[in-house]
């Protein structure tokens, strides 16, 4: 923290060594399309790290969240597999392929799904609140909550300033995917904001078509335990047609920062009501809605390019926001043309674009915005948070060396059952706990 005011820190998930394409996520078109492709874990992790460094080069603070232990041997043991860790894995891979694939997923990289964060400025008790997401819709993702909670408790251990809440009960009624379905608008990072929770269904409803991963009830429960002022909180429904077109999270069709909401025309079930409520609840700022009409960019192009899964950031000194977009947006004629025109408008709210290459993650439906968890920190909170989670050049260099030393270049489906993978990864993660440093009991394998 350099300034005297609160700032938004992006904490990115460090992409783990088992990054692969397993086609695990129904309703996520990229995941389905790329199932069983050969993955490149080393490139994936280096692309993610390069994005973090790019944001730092813009003058923004950046954090990093460690990958989870995969394959999840502890979980496999609880399902009756025995022997050495390598044997557990080899046996699970042969006899329970569906379970094994879930146990291997590196999906914790998508930190936007780790938790919902409410900055202290929004919370009546003046603490920063974080609720770990239960991610109960997908088998491979429901496994993340336990380790995510451990990570966030390490990062935010000072209970006078931070409240870390465990995940809501992992049930369909309380289905929660974290910050990917949560937006915040405010005059500046540290000013009291309007928190906007976006849900796909109510607990009492069942949705035909692709799954709606977020319930209204999950949103209201999180808002209540964060001690949010409901006079400044909004609950709005995602358009079912967006979900059915492949927008499995709101952040595939919308992103907000400061006074700006950038979204697709078809993102919300009732856009006019949302605009009216934001205007009524905004304090100290005039909201700007940058709506992309379907006539310019259809939902299909929005979703394949991931235009809205960009990060919207305010680089120090800039007088408008910068869109950190995936290179796929530049490669799509419609989205590239839209962005070029948008940034050249007079007094554009979003006046710059930076393209980043996160192709390995994109092929599983995870763009730049999926890879990060936004946390607004006051200078005091920044000082109270555990320093080792914040990226600097020395840490970035160590992480790069670590990735190059331990990650496989390629992981083809036929490689995944290899019992040697388990030891290889445990050695890597053990070393990571010394780099970050997380201590010798951070991962389950270190505690047995
Ligand atoms: O939950 N993909 C993730 C992508 C998450 C993107 N996050 C945000 N939009 N914030 C998901 O669908 C695919 C894994 C596989 O198929 O191997 C996966 O889990």
């Amino acid at each position: 923290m350099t300034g005297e005011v609160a700032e938004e820190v992006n904490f990115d998930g460090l992409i783990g060594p088992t990054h692969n394409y397993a086609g695990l996520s129904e309703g996520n078109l990229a995941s389905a399309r790329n199932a069983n492709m050969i993955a490149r874990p080393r490139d994936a992790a280096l692309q993610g790290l390069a994005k973090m460094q790019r944001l730092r080069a813009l003058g923004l603070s950046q954090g990093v969240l460690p990958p989870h232990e995969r394959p999840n041997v502890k979980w496999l043991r609880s399902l009756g597999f025995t022997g050495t860790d390598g044997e557990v894995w080899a046996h699970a891979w042969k006899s329970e392929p569906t379970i094994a694939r879930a146990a291997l997923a590196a999906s914790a990289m998508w930190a936007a799904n780790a938790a919902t964060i409410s900055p202290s400025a929004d919370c009546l008790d003046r603490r920063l609140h974080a609720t770990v997401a239960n991610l109960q819709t997908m088998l491979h993702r429901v496994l993340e909550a336990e380790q995510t909670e451990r990570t966030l408790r390490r990062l935010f251990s000072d209970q006078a300033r931070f409240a870390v809440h465990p995940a809501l009960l992992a049930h369909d009624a309380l289905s929660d995917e974290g910050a990917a379905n949560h937006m915040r608008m405010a005059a500046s990072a540290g000013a009291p904001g309007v928190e906007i929770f976006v849900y796909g269904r109510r607990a009492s409803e069942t949705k035909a078509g692709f799954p709606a991963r977020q319930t209204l009830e999950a949103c209201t429960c999180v808002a209540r335990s964060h001690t949010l002022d409901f006079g400044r909180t909004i609950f709005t429904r995602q358009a079912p047609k967006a979900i059915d077109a492949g927008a499995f999270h709101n952040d595939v069709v919308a992103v907000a920062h400061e006074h700006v909401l950038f979204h697709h025309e078809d993102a919300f079930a009732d856009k006019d009501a949302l605009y009216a409520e934001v205007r009524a609840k905004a304090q100290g700022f005039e909201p700007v809605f940058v709506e992309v009409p379907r006539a310019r960019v259809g939902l299909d192009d929005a979703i394949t390019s991931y235009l809205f899964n960009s990060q919207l950031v305010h680089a120090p000194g800039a007088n408008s926001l910068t869109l950190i977009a995936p290179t796929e947006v530049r490669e799509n004629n419609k989205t590239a043309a839209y962005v070029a025109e948008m940034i050249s408008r007079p007094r554009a709210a979003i006046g710059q674009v930076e393209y980043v290459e996160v192709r390995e993650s994109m092929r599983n439906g995870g763009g730049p915005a999926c890879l990060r968890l936004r946390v607004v920190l006051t200078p005091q909170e920044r000082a109270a948070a555990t320093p080792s989670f914040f990226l600097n050049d020395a840490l970035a260099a160590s992480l790069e060396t670590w990735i190059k030393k331990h990650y496989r270049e390629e992981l083809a489906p036929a490689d995944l059952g290899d019992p040697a993978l388990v030891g290889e990864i445990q050695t890597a993660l053990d070393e990571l706990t010394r780099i970050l440093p997380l201590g010798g009991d951070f991962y389950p394998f270190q505690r047995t």
Side-chain angles (χ1 to χ4, degrees):
M1 181 82 197
T2 47
E4 288 307 306
V5 291
E7 65 172 348
E8 180 180 279
V9 183
N10 286 290
F11 286 87
D12 277 48
L14 183 58
I15 298 175
T18 64
H19 159 66
N20 74 101
Y21 300 112
L24 300 176
S25 285
E26 188 202 352
N28 171 341
L29 303 180
S31 153
R33 229 171 251 150
N34 296 311
N36 295 320
M37 256 183 54
I38 295 173
R40 303 185 63 82
R42 185 183 300 174
D43 287 349
L46 292 173
Q47 287 167 3
L49 188 60
K51 169 170 96 74
M52 298 183 225
Q53 286 289 74
R54 190 82 172 272
L55 276 274
R56 286 190 59 236
L58 289 176
L60 299 162
S61 289
Q62 179 68 50
V64 60
L65 301 175
H68 295 190
E69 178 190 338
R70 295 290 180 271
N72 191 332
V73 173
K74 182 181 165 205
W75 179 52
L76 294 174
R77 285 191 188 281
S78 80
L79 301 178
F81 294 102
T82 54
T84 64
D85 287 356
E87 286 163 358
V88 164
W89 174 239
H91 188 191
W93 182 256
K94 278 201 199 83
S95 56
E96 298 278 14
T98 302
I99 300 293
R101 284 245 159 170
L104 193 67
S107 48
M109 71 173 82
W110 297 299
N113 304 117
T116 304
I117 306 288
S118 295
S120 53
D122 299 350
C123 300
L124 294 178
D125 71 354
R126 289 293 171 256
R127 290 191 297 168
L128 181 154
H129 285 256
T131 296
V132 175
N134 62 27
L135 295 169
Q136 68 86 42
T137 305
M138 301 290 165
L139 178 64
H140 66 295
R141 302 220 62 184
V142 73
L143 303 172
E144 293 170 36
E146 187 183 330
Q147 184 73 30
T148 298
E149 184 177 343
R150 190 173 301 123
T151 301
L152 293 182
R153 288 193 187 286
R154 288 287 173 95
L155 171 57
F156 301 127
S157 58
D158 179 350
Q159 291 180 26
R161 296 190 187 278
F162 308 115
V164 175
H165 304 272
L168 301 174
L169 180 74
H171 184 276
D172 193 59
L174 293 171
S175 193
D176 178 21
E177 303 260 330
N181 293 321
H182 177 254
M183 304 184 288
R184 178 173 188 267
M185 297 178 76
S188 63
V194 179
E195 296 205 11
I196 306 169
F197 291 80
V198 187
Y199 63 93
R201 63 183 162 90
R202 290 171 183 264
S204 57
E205 295 168 348
T206 45
K207 185 189 162 300
F210 285 154
R213 300 197 201 177
Q214 186 83 32
T215 64
L216 170 60
E217 287 76 0
C219 299
T220 50
C221 292
V222 169
R224 200 176 306 112
S225 40
H226 286 197
T227 73
L228 294 183
D229 173 357
F230 275 51
R232 286 194 280 110
T233 307
I234 295 174
F235 303 96
T236 197
R237 189 188 282 267
Q238 190 181 3
K241 89 180 207 194
I243 298 176
D244 291 333
F248 53 96
H249 292 132
N250 172 65
D251 70 4
V252 176
V253 279
V255 57
H257 187 67
E258 295 182 350
H259 61 300
V260 180
L261 171 58
F262 178 53
H263 72 92
H264 191 271
E265 180 175 0
D266 294 323
F268 306 108
D270 189 346
K271 179 196 68 184
D272 295 333
L274 172 63
Y275 282 16
E277 203 174 347
V278 173
R279 288 197 180 101
K281 293 183 170 175
Q283 275 181 12
F285 70 96
E286 197 58 50
V288 171
F289 302 103
V290 182
E291 175 185 349
V292 180
R294 72 177 81 89
R296 294 287 307 274
V297 178
L299 269 178
D300 50 348
D301 284 309
I303 288 165
T304 47
S305 70
Y306 259 38
L307 171 60
F308 299 96
N309 203 257
S310 300
Q311 295 177 239
L312 260 188
V313 299
H314 192 163
N319 54 15
S320 63
L321 301 185
T322 300
L323 192 74
I324 310 292
T327 47
E328 285 78 354
V329 168
R330 192 170 54 193
E331 290 160 10
N332 175 309
N333 291 340
K334 295 215 173 102
T335 52
Y338 183 85
V339 169
E341 184 262 313
M342 173 180 76
I343 62 174
S344 61
R345 287 175 197 160
R347 294 181 307 284
I350 304 170
Q352 295 78 229
V353 62
E354 297 258 342
Y355 287 105
V356 292
E357 160 85 57
V358 287
R359 210 169 287 278
E360 284 291 312
S361 168
M362 283 283 287
R363 290 194 175 122
N364 254 336
C370 298
L371 286 162
R372 59 94 172 96
L373 180 66
R374 297 195 272 185
V375 184
V376 171
L377 293 170
T378 65
Q380 296 76 18
E381 289 161 354
R382 170 70 182 80
T386 305
S388 53
F389 288 87
F390 292 83
L391 196 64
N392 54 32
D393 284 336
L395 177 56
S398 308
L399 291 175
E400 187 178 331
T401 307
W402 174 78
I403 292 164
K404 287 180 173 159
K405 173 170 166 203
H406 292 284
Y407 280 49
R408 291 197 187 184
E409 236 166 291
E410 286 191 353
L411 268 183
D415 304 327
L416 299 176
D418 180 358
L421 199 61
V422 183
E424 213 173 284
I425 290 167
Q426 290 181 353
T427 303
L429 294 181
D430 197 49
E431 193 177 313
L432 183 66
T433 59
R434 287 188 291 278
I435 295 172
L436 275 175
L438 298 158
D441 63 348
F442 186 70
Y443 289 112
F445 75 87
Q446 295 174 306
R447 296 195 292 272
T448 49

